[in-house]
Amino acid sequence: MSVFDTIKNRRSIGKMTPEQPTYQQIERILEAATHAPNHHHVEPWKFIVLTGKAREQLGAVMAESLAARLETTTSEKAQAALNKERNKLLRSPVVIVVAAEQPDRPEVLEIENIEAVAAAVQNMLLTAEELGLACMWRTGSAAYDPHVKKWLGLTPHEHIVAFVYLGFPAISRVERIPTHFQKKTTWLGWEA
Ligand SMILES: Cc1cc2nc3c(=O)[nH]c(=O)nc-3n(C[C@H](O)[C@H](O)[C@H](O)COP(=O)(O)O)c2cc1C
């Protein structure tokens, strides 16, 4: 399949079976990520692969962090939200946290590190598509929570760019019909 076809066919799939992708499949996805463009050759990505109990452990930290942000934790609504947060990572057998490092040189811009990591995430999604896996890029408030970052071994200044959910599809994909690119494009100096 051409890169163009893979790009067009890729769909985010939120519902996955419990079947775990192989170690080799995950390695291939991570390798693809490391081929993303990045300025000053800083390779600003970090990956944390969560499977099995690690998803439950981080889910507990996410729920604790959410509880600290809520005004009350005793209401039915709050309990439902906390329960949802605790179980979020169990929606797929593997979750890869993808983070952007903080620049350590003046010429390296924080936004460019984040952009490079976003490109790495897209490489991961496309590779998952090519491997026939289900994949979904998610964030949510946990991605910006300092306690979550700490548990993952990240500093507060590093950015969680994605929770990449990975598994095998449990639902069929629906067609994507994006806004036509001409509506988003200005052509300057182009002589057809
Ligand atoms: C930075 C970023 C964060 C996202 N976070 C979420 C999220 O937390 N939950 C969600 O349902 N979709 C999230 N999405 C959107 C999905 O990943 C997906 O792109 C969207 O549902 C469209 O589906 P498609 O990728 O098949 O076109 C996020 C996308 C990006 C780029």
Side-chain angles (χ1 to χ4, degrees):
M1 201 185 284
S2 72
V3 173
F4 187 75
D5 286 340
T6 307
I7 289 168
K8 282 190 77 170
N9 285 341
R10 182 202 64 78
R11 286 311 317 267
S12 297
I13 298 187
K15 285 201 167 40
M16 304 180 197
T17 71
E19 187 186 352
Q20 193 169 299
T22 65
Y23 192 82
Q24 288 74 18
Q25 285 172 323
I26 295 167
E27 277 190 316
R28 193 165 170 88
I29 287 166
L30 294 172
E31 188 179 354
T34 63
H35 285 272
N38 64 105
H39 203 176
H40 303 292
H41 306 292
V42 287
E43 302 182 355
W45 30 78
K46 279 187 180 176
F47 310 104
I48 301 141
V49 182
L50 303 165
T51 49
K53 286 254 177 284
R55 295 167 308 152
E56 287 167 37
Q57 288 162 356
L58 180 56
V61 174
M62 284 163 53
E64 268 170 41
S65 295
L66 177 61
R69 292 195 300 273
L70 292 176
E71 272 176 27
T72 169
T73 55
T74 49
S75 70
E76 214 171 285
K77 196 175 157 205
Q79 283 297 315
L82 291 171
N83 210 31
K84 189 175 171 199
E85 193 70 8
R86 192 174 298 109
N87 292 315
K88 264 186 180 171
L89 300 172
L90 306 180
R91 289 176 292 188
S92 72
V94 176
V95 180
I96 305 178
V97 182
V98 190
E101 289 173 344
Q102 182 74 1
D104 59 359
R105 304 196 320 251
E107 70 274 24
V108 180
L109 302 183
E110 187 173 16
I111 188 171
E112 293 195 347
N113 275 5
I114 296 166
E115 288 161 350
V117 174
V121 172
Q122 178 71 350
N123 280 3
M124 295 169 78
L125 303 187
L126 294 176
T127 305
E129 174 69 31
E130 196 184 41
L131 293 170
L133 297 172
C135 202
M136 183 141 177
W137 181 343
R138 295 184 190 266
T139 49
S141 54
Y144 313 107
D145 188 284
H147 301 294
V148 169
K149 290 185 191 182
K150 191 170 178 203
W151 189 87
L152 289 164
L154 302 169
T155 71
H157 298 297
E158 290 179 308
H159 296 281
I160 294 178
V161 175
F163 291 106
V164 175
Y165 285 68
L166 201 58
F168 288 88
I171 49 169
S172 54
R173 60 188 63 209
V174 286
E175 198 187 350
R176 172 178 50 232
I177 307 172
T179 303
H180 197 278
F181 63 86
Q182 290 290 14
K183 287 201 172 145
K184 300 278 186 179
T185 307
T186 306
W187 302 76
L188 298 175
W190 179 264
E191 289 169 29

